[in-house]
Amino acid sequence: MKLSRPARRSLLVVHVTASASWLGLLALGITAATTGQPAAVAASVRSMGLFADRLLLPVAFATLVSGLVLSLGTPWGPARHRWVWIKFWLTLATTAATAFALRPGVHAAVAAVAGGGPLPDAGAVLTGPAVSLAAYVFMTVISVLKPWGPTRRGRRRREAARGHRDAVHGGARPTRAGHHHAGSRA
């Protein structure tokens, strides 16, 4: 399946926007952890609770699904390049961490401040959003830089495609102008 340019661009916007939504959660966590005002702590933590309940899992799944569709619909493929493979597993890990660690930590903080108490552990509202944001920033960087080259599967597919092209063009490779030059690709 190959995505059209408008479809690929639209999915890329969804993918990057969903990934960037962690900034809001981290800002709320920083506010809750650093302010000395009980009302601001309570408001920040309650907002984080709403974020955790209504937005985090849909955003995490949107990031995962849009990334998977992008990899399937572009030449990068889901398992042809190491950077795509790493992004997939990191996105899967952050999605699982959101469901099983971040949300329970935020809910515990909400329960603590709802009764008028102080924030029991700043780590509960800072660590998850900070780690998730760092993971998504790292994934954005490797999406731009595309380091590490192809996987074994990607190299095999590339070699098979070259073999097919060489067979079709009789060992000659086409140039941009459509002319053929003899010789193999280096």
Side-chain angles (χ1 to χ4, degrees), residues 13 48 69 89 116 121 157 159 170 184:
V13 167
M48 288 183 79
V69 171
W89 288 107
D121 177 20
R157 289 187 73 143
E159 289 166 6
S184 63

Side-chain angles (χ1 to χ4, degrees), residues 14-172:
V14 167
H15 187 64
V16 172
T17 302
S19 300
S21 66
W22 289 94
L23 285 170
L25 191 67
L26 183 59
L28 290 169
I30 289 170
T31 301
T34 60
T35 187
Q37 302 169 6
V41 171
S44 295
V45 171
R46 278 196 310 272
S47 296
M48 288 183 79
L50 287 172
F51 227 106
D53 288 340
R54 303 235 192 309
L55 189 62
L56 289 185
L57 283 178
V59 162
F61 284 118
T63 303
L64 182 63
V65 170
S66 62
L68 189 58
V69 171
L70 279 166
S71 72
L72 290 169
T74 63
W76 300 114
R80 293 182 197 155
H81 297 273
R82 287 183 182 97
W83 67 271
V84 176
W85 197 236
I86 289 169
K87 279 185 64 176
F88 170 75
W89 288 107
L90 271 175
T91 304
L92 199 58
T94 56
T95 300
T98 297
F100 302 114
L102 189 140
R103 288 182 74 225
V106 167
H107 287 148
V110 169
V113 299
L119 186 64
D121 177 20
V125 295
L126 283 177
T127 304
V131 168
S132 294
L133 181 61
Y136 284 114
V137 167
F138 173 73
M139 289 185 271
T140 301
V141 168
I142 66 174
S143 292
V144 171
L145 299 179
K146 298 172 181 46
W148 308 307
T151 61
R152 249 183 270 159
R153 179 178 183 211
R155 283 192 300 273
R156 282 194 307 265
R157 289 187 73 143
R158 185 181 290 164
E159 289 166 6
R162 275 191 194 138
H164 175 73
R165 265 194 316 270
D166 288 347
V168 169
H169 296 292

